[in-house]
Amino acid sequence: MHSVLTTCPFCACGCGLYLHVENERIVGVSPSKKHPISRGNLCVKGWNSIEHVRHAERLREPLIRKNGKLVKTGWNHALKRISHELLRIKKKYGGESIGILSSAKCTNEENYLLMKLGRAILKTNNLDHCARLCHSPSVLGLTNAFGSGAMTNSISELAGAEVILVTGSNTTEQHPQIARFIFEALDKGAKLIVIDPRRIELSKFAHIYLRPRLGTDVIWLNGMMKIILDEGLVDDSFIKMRTENFSEFKKFLSRSDLSQVEAISGISLEDLGRAAKMYAGAKRAIIIYSMGITQHVSGTDNVESIANLAMMTGHLEQEITGVFPLRGQNNVQGACDMGALPGMLSGYQRVDDPAVLDKFSRAWNADLPSTPGLSSVDMLHNAGRIKGMFIMGENSMLSHPDMKNVRASLENSDFLAVADIFLTETAEVADVVLPAAAFVEKDGTVTSTERRIQRMRKAIPPAHLSKPDWQIIIELARHMGYPMDYESPAEVMEEIALLTPIYGGVYYDRLETVQGLQWPCSDRNHPGTPYLHKKSFTRGKGLFACIGYRPPAELPDKEYPFALTTGRVYEHWHTGSMTRRISILKRECPEGFVEISPEDARVLGIINGEPVKVISPRGEVITRAKLVGSLPAQTLFMPFHFREAPANALTNNAVDPQARIPELKICAVRLEKVT
């Protein structure tokens, strides 16, 4: 038996774990005691991270659609078909008719290569991945304010904070190992503020808990900042030295009507004032947020408002203070870093910057498209616009809103190819399906929510006839007449380092330690960066933005009197294609449900556990009622992991006009008993 150090494949905490291998079979998992995040601990998903790898439903060989059914075929035939169809579509309609979805579950090297294939061969900037559905407002909003769209500090710094403000993040369920650092801080005397429409687990430990109405984040954030301004709690020195546009922002805040804050958000001014004074008065304060903030039509506004709050109180540019957007998937940060975005090449270098385009064109020996492409939402919610698609490790059918619309777009395209480890709901409608290797069957790197680049190491050979995605992309490129000569992911990373300044010093020989490296890491001698903006913001000076309140796109009415919000549960992850094939996790949470307050259930005559029908203007779902005391009246919650009760059959595809993220956190529904 031997052990292989790797990185957990689930959330973006980036925990280090050992795979215990005997006779080319993984027989156990244990946490790394030296890892800066896991520190000898794993959550329930990490402890059970290998069972799905040997599941009987793993894809065994390539599949191709014949007479309406997916049948077995050989690798060469499958790759030839994909190459022929995508090149045919490019020739007939142009590169802008092709869409590519990369994956936050795949490695940095795989995302980079797929981005390269799309731009250098297929001539399309229609490249995106699931960051569009979770933190595209963070990438845009924090870049606007600070110049960098990433988490400003390191996870371990949480343990030393004086005040921690958590909003839109159910941290104990979605990022359990990060929650451990919050509890460590509380044990040392830190104060906790939780602001969330749901009374989440962290609320029990909060010194101040505030419950805003869904979709009112900008109004209560502006109210908090107005109170801080009126109370003279702004950091004048920091603002003068490190920021710009504060005079305009101050005028904007001075015109704010605090009575409207209370009326719209539902938070009393007295309680909001206590939270404002606690946060502003601390020497070391951190804001944690996640998709409860970003998944709105006002997602970018929400993020820029959080940036405003941090800047006006000076809680930036030093240790143990900052803004912590918690990423959802294991490599969603890395996929963004690698340019799996419609307007960016690797390292957030814009596709419409002539100097950037020239650099990549020369390195890749190819003419590259210079017009930013479509987001995944725009690709998947406009039937007929995209003629051909290649999707790597994404289950868009369950993850995107308005499931019926997504299905229509995929089925109406001329050609769809999917690479995955299981026959997901998305793969079921594909013309060609390729069996991909699982995380234990390949090498590469992933980047956690704190910008920590770490190794993912091969422990066993790929199952059946599956192949690592990086090899699939290389072979596909060769079939398209564009040779990619890489012998290993290490060679791919060398090219990434050459072309990507923030990864300039990232090489495999520097990633042998359990700590990895945190970008920016500009050269081989650079030690990595635990926290950003030490002497100045990436953009120079931080920019204050005047953000007004904009209501959600869809609010409850007489026909649809409930507000539905969606999210995840502790036991499962994303669309459940991995965790729902793990027996312990399936046992603990076997099926979907809709949470409803006991008061609403009593009015409707609904009993805990009985089947109910949830109906929105876009569809209906039958699931089981779960009575909980954590929700306010007229509000429902559904997890989106369950294909039998798909929450995204109900959700609204209205988008943030800037970040193009759909409003997954609120839509109007009604609830009926199943008779």
Side-chain angles (χ1 to χ4, degrees), residues 387-445:
K387 303 297 184 181
M389 289 197 79
F390 185 89
I391 300 178
M392 176 178 75
E394 287 284 339
N395 191 9
S396 306
M397 284 282 289
L398 282 191
S399 63
H400 272 253
D402 194 355
M403 187 175 175
K404 184 179 179 181
N405 195 322
V406 174
R407 178 180 285 276
S409 293
L410 292 176
E411 291 181 341
N412 287 334
S413 64
D414 286 9
F415 180 76
L416 170 65
V418 172
D420 216 313
I421 62 176
F422 295 108
L423 191 67
T424 64
E425 291 73 19
T426 305
E428 286 175 353
V429 301
D431 297 291
V432 179
V433 180
L434 303 178
F439 82 106
V440 299
E441 300 164 350
K442 61 184 179 182
D443 288 307
T445 62

Side-chain angles (χ1 to χ4, degrees), residues 269-469:
L269 290 180
E270 180 182 354
D271 290 340
L272 191 64
R274 288 193 300 120
K277 293 170 188 176
M278 182 178 287
Y279 173 76
K283 291 182 179 179
R284 293 284 192 270
I286 289 169
I287 302 174
I288 291 175
Y289 74 88
S290 195
M291 287 173 278
I293 285 291
T294 58
Q295 288 179 331
H296 294 275
V297 292
S298 58
T300 305
D301 293 346
N302 294 345
V303 171
E304 290 194 78
S305 296
I306 285 174
N308 286 340
L309 175 59
M311 285 190 293
M312 76 181 299
T313 53
H315 291 320
L316 288 161
E317 296 188 344
Q318 55 185 326
E319 283 187 293
I320 317 177
T321 187
V323 176
F324 287 48
L326 302 187
R327 309 285 183 162
Q329 296 199 34
N330 61 319
N331 199 34
V332 71
Q333 180 66 60
C336 291
D337 297 345
M338 292 301 106
L341 297 168
M344 305 284 184
L345 289 147
S346 61
Y348 308 97
Q349 300 172 89
R350 292 192 57 84
V351 298
D352 52 6
D353 183 326
V356 168
L357 210 62
D358 180 65
K359 178 176 72 170
F360 279 86
S361 295
R362 286 187 285 108
W364 293 351
N365 192 29
D367 294 326
L368 304 178
S370 60
T371 302
L374 299 174
S375 73
S376 63
V377 177
D378 295 310
M379 290 185 234
L380 291 169
H381 292 273
N382 192 337
R385 187 172 189 177
I386 296 296
K387 303 297 184 181
M389 289 197 79
F390 185 89
I391 300 178
M392 176 178 75
E394 287 284 339
N395 191 9
S396 306
M397 284 282 289
L398 282 191
S399 63
H400 272 253
D402 194 355
M403 187 175 175
K404 184 179 179 181
N405 195 322
V406 174
R407 178 180 285 276
S409 293
L410 292 176
E411 291 181 341
N412 287 334
S413 64
D414 286 9
F415 180 76
L416 170 65
V418 172
D420 216 313
I421 62 176
F422 295 108
L423 191 67
T424 64
E425 291 73 19
T426 305
E428 286 175 353
V429 301
D431 297 291
V432 179
V433 180
L434 303 178
F439 82 106
V440 299
E441 300 164 350
K442 61 184 179 182
D443 288 307
T445 62
V446 290
T447 306
S448 75
T449 193
E450 61 174 354
R451 300 169 284 104
R452 189 180 299 277
I453 306 155
Q454 303 176 103
R455 285 291 308 278
M456 191 169 271
R457 292 176 174 87
K458 181 179 177 180
I460 58 174
H464 313 298
L465 296 180
S466 64
K467 295 185 179 185
D469 290 281

Side-chain angles (χ1 to χ4, degrees), residues 143-154:
T143 298
N144 289 344
F146 304 153
S148 172
M151 184 165 154
T152 62
N153 294 61
S154 299

Side-chain angles (χ1 to χ4, degrees), residues 41-206:
N41 294 276
L42 293 172
C43 75
V44 68
K45 292 189 285 291
W47 279 113
N48 294 281
S49 57
I50 59 168
E51 185 179 342
H52 73 281
V53 171
R54 51 178 181 257
H55 197 278
E57 294 177 357
R58 278 287 300 273
L59 285 168
R60 292 172 174 264
E61 55 269 304
L63 304 173
I64 196 164
R65 191 168 298 279
K66 289 185 178 179
N67 300 320
K69 295 183 178 181
L70 288 170
V71 298
K72 300 175 185 178
T73 191
W75 269 103
N76 194 52
H77 186 206
L79 292 171
K80 276 187 175 179
R81 174 73 186 280
I82 296 171
S83 171
H84 171 78
E85 292 293 338
L86 292 181
L87 290 177
R88 176 188 65 80
I89 291 168
K90 174 196 163 193
K91 183 177 181 180
K92 185 175 181 179
Y93 301 104
E96 63 274 12
S97 66
I98 296 173
I100 292 178
L101 297 187
S102 202
S103 177
K105 295 183 282 293
C106 292
T107 65
N108 287 321
E109 294 79 5
E110 289 164 342
N111 281 285
Y112 175 84
L113 289 178
L114 188 57
M115 177 269 292
K116 182 176 181 178
L117 180 147
R119 291 182 162 121
I121 305 174
L122 298 174
K123 311 301 180 184
T124 183
N125 278 325
N126 298 333
L127 285 139
D128 211 354
H129 72 292
C130 73
R132 185 65 48 198
L133 306 179
C134 59
H135 275 286
S136 51
S138 294
V139 175
L140 181 59
L142 294 183
T143 298
N144 289 344
F146 304 153
S148 172
M151 184 165 154
T152 62
N153 294 61
S154 299
I155 293 168
S156 60
E157 293 176 30
L158 278 165
E162 183 182 335
V163 170
I164 301 171
L165 192 164
V166 179
T167 182
S169 167
N170 191 357
T171 320
T172 56
E173 292 205 30
Q174 305 316 312
H175 299 89
Q177 298 305 307
I178 293 177
R180 288 176 53 246
F181 288 91
I182 296 175
F183 289 123
E184 187 175 333
L186 294 179
D187 286 343
K188 295 176 181 177
K191 303 295 184 184
L192 176 63
I193 304 167
V194 175
I195 305 177
D196 199 289
R198 298 171 68 206
R199 194 179 292 275
I200 58 175
E201 185 72 17
L202 273 181
S203 307
K204 300 175 183 177
F205 305 91

Side-chain angles (χ1 to χ4, degrees), residues 512-527:
E512 289 305 312
T513 65
V514 71
Q515 286 79 20
L517 287 168
Q518 288 175 273
W519 69 257
C521 180
S522 57
D523 57 56
R524 272 195 170 274
N525 297 316
H526 197 288

